Amino acid sequence: MSQRVLQESSLRHFLEVVRTGSVTAAAERLNVAPSAVSRHIARLESELDTLLFERRARGMVPNAAGELLAAHAKRAWQDIERVTDDILALRGLQTGQVRVASTEGFASEFLPNLIADFQRDYAGIRFALDVRMQAEIPQLVRDGDVDIGVTLSTSSERHINVELRHPSPILAIMAKDHPLASRRQLALSQLVGYPMALPGPYSTLRQLFDISCSRQGLQCEPVFLSNRLDAMIAFAAAGGGIALSGEAALRTRLKAGLVIGVPLRDREMNERHFEVQTMAGRTLPGSCRAFLDHLREVLRREG
C-alpha cells in the first residue's frame, strides 16, 4: 500500500461522499464531474486493497474500513486547518474561520449579535452558521463538520467537550396586554387555559412541556403548531396566545418590550441547559479559541 495516497486530494473526494452519501452530491459540492469522484474512490480502494463503501440503492454508506479512513481523514484536515490558522494568528489573528452549528433559537438573535460584536475586534475572521435540530448538533461536532456547537441539552453526550454550560429556563412568552403579562412567575397549570403555540415533539422544549403536563395531569392542545420559533413568537406578540422560549432566543425583543417573558416555576421547565460543545480531544484553531473566550466574557458580563 502506498502511504502517499492518504495525503492526497482523493481524501477530499472520499470525505465528501461520506458526508453527502452519494457520488453525484459530492461532485456537486466539489464542482467536478461525478466520474472524477468515482475515479478518486476507486483509486483509494485499489491502493488500500479494500472496499470503503457499501453501495446501496439510495446511496453509499462507509463500511468498517471506510469509517476508519474517514476518522483519519477528518483528523488530518482538522490538523491542517488548525496549523494554518495558528500560523496566521502569528500576524495578530487577522484571518481564520469559525464553523458553528446551533439551534434556531440561538441563530435568530444571540449568535448574530455575538459574531458582529466579535468581528469589531477581529474583522478578518469568517463565520459559517449552520442551523440544525438540537439532536443533530453533537454529531456534527463529533464528525468535525463544525468547530463549535451551540445548543440546548438535558443530558451529557459521548466524545463531546462542554466548553460552557448555563441554565436555560423556559419562559412563557406573550403580548404586553395578555391577562398574565403582569405576573412575576407562572405555573403551567395557569397557562393551559389560554391558547398556546408549541413546537413539535422533536423539540426538547416540547418534550419537557409534555412531561410536566403528564406529571400534573394537565391537558393542552396547542392552537398553533410550528417548527419555527420566530413564527410562534410572532404569533404570541400579535396576541394570538402564549409561546414558550428561552431568554437568549429573544433577548432583544424582551429588552425592547415587544413581548413579555414570565419565568415558569414548574421543575421540568427549568431543567434545560445552554451548552457550547466542541469535539473531545481536539485542539481548536486560534480563531475558534478566541471566539469561545469572547462568548465566555459576554456570558460573564451578563451574569
Side-chain angles (χ1 to χ4, degrees):
M1 178 184 75
S2 170
Q3 300 295 326
R4 188 166 55 89
V5 73
L6 298 182
Q7 304 172 24
E8 295 181 348
S9 62
S10 293
L11 283 181
R12 289 185 58 243
H13 293 73
F14 166 77
L15 279 177
E16 284 302 333
V17 177
V18 171
R19 290 188 183 108
T20 62
S22 81
V23 167
T24 301
E28 289 177 357
R29 291 192 51 169
L30 292 166
N31 197 28
V32 298
S35 59
V37 176
S38 295
R39 284 196 301 273
H40 280 286
I41 299 302
R43 182 182 178 213
L44 274 175
E45 292 182 328
S46 173
E47 291 281 356
L48 297 170
D49 194 24
T50 186
L51 294 176
L52 298 171
F53 291 95
E54 294 177 16
R55 272 74 170 176
R56 298 179 181 177
R58 295 188 177 181
M60 297 171 67
V61 178
N63 58 21
E67 292 283 3
L68 283 173
L69 181 58
H72 158 81
K74 288 171 183 175
R75 286 195 300 269
W77 285 115
Q78 287 162 5
D79 286 344
I80 291 169
E81 289 172 352
R82 177 179 58 81
V83 170
T84 302
D85 202 65
D86 286 347
I87 290 171
L88 292 171
L90 295 174
R91 290 159 36 191
L93 201 63
Q94 296 175 1
T95 187
Q97 183 180 30
V98 182
R99 301 168 302 165
V100 184
S102 85
T103 53
E104 182 198 2
F106 296 117
S108 58
E109 289 185 11
F110 178 75
L111 281 171
N113 291 343
L114 197 71
I115 291 167
D117 187 43
F118 178 78
Q119 288 184 319
R120 291 187 181 96
D121 293 325
Y122 303 106
I125 304 298
R126 295 169 290 115
F127 283 81
L129 177 59
D130 191 357
V131 182
R132 295 294 189 102
M133 301 295 296
Q134 179 263 329
E136 297 177 283
I137 291 174
Q139 192 60 49
L140 290 170
V141 174
R142 276 191 290 265
D143 288 345
D145 293 329
V146 298
D147 304 304
I148 298 169
V150 179
T151 185
L152 293 161
S153 177
T154 58
S155 60
S156 59
E157 294 279 352
R158 293 182 60 195
H159 308 304
I160 289 291
N161 183 47
V162 178
E163 300 280 351
L164 290 165
R165 194 168 195 260
H166 270 260
S168 180
I170 298 167
L171 306 177
I173 307 301
M174 61 198 76
K176 293 183 291 185
D177 58 355
H178 191 280
L180 299 179
S182 62
R183 303 295 181 92
R184 294 178 61 86
Q185 194 177 51
L186 289 166
L188 290 185
S189 58
Q190 296 170 281
L191 304 187
V192 295
Y194 293 90
M196 292 198 67
L198 293 173
Y202 53 83
S203 163
T204 56
L205 186 154
R206 179 62 184 272
Q207 291 162 11
L208 293 172
F209 176 84
D210 288 346
I211 290 168
S212 192
C213 285
S214 176
R215 179 178 63 82
Q216 299 178 63
L218 302 174
Q219 299 292 324
C220 180
E221 186 65 33
V223 301
F224 184 45
L225 191 69
S226 177
N227 65 347
R228 302 293 299 187
L229 177 62
D230 277 345
M232 292 184 285
I233 299 303
F235 173 80
I242 298 171
L244 301 175
S245 173
E247 183 269 343
L250 60 161
R251 184 171 295 166
T252 303
R253 282 170 281 189
L254 287 169
K255 287 181 177 178
L258 301 178
V259 289
I260 300 297
V262 182
L264 296 171
R265 67 170 64 100
D266 306 81
R267 182 179 70 246
E268 292 83 1
M269 298 294 98
N270 291 275
E271 289 184 348
R272 292 193 318 174
H273 285 80
F274 160 77
E275 276 194 2
V276 179
Q277 303 174 344
T278 60
M279 182 194 295
R282 180 186 174 194
T283 301
L284 289 171
S287 55
C288 297
R289 295 196 298 271
F291 182 64
L292 286 175
D293 288 343
H294 177 67
L295 177 50
R296 289 190 186 94
E297 177 59 22
V298 168
L299 290 177
R300 186 193 65 77
R301 287 200 311 262
E302 296 182 355

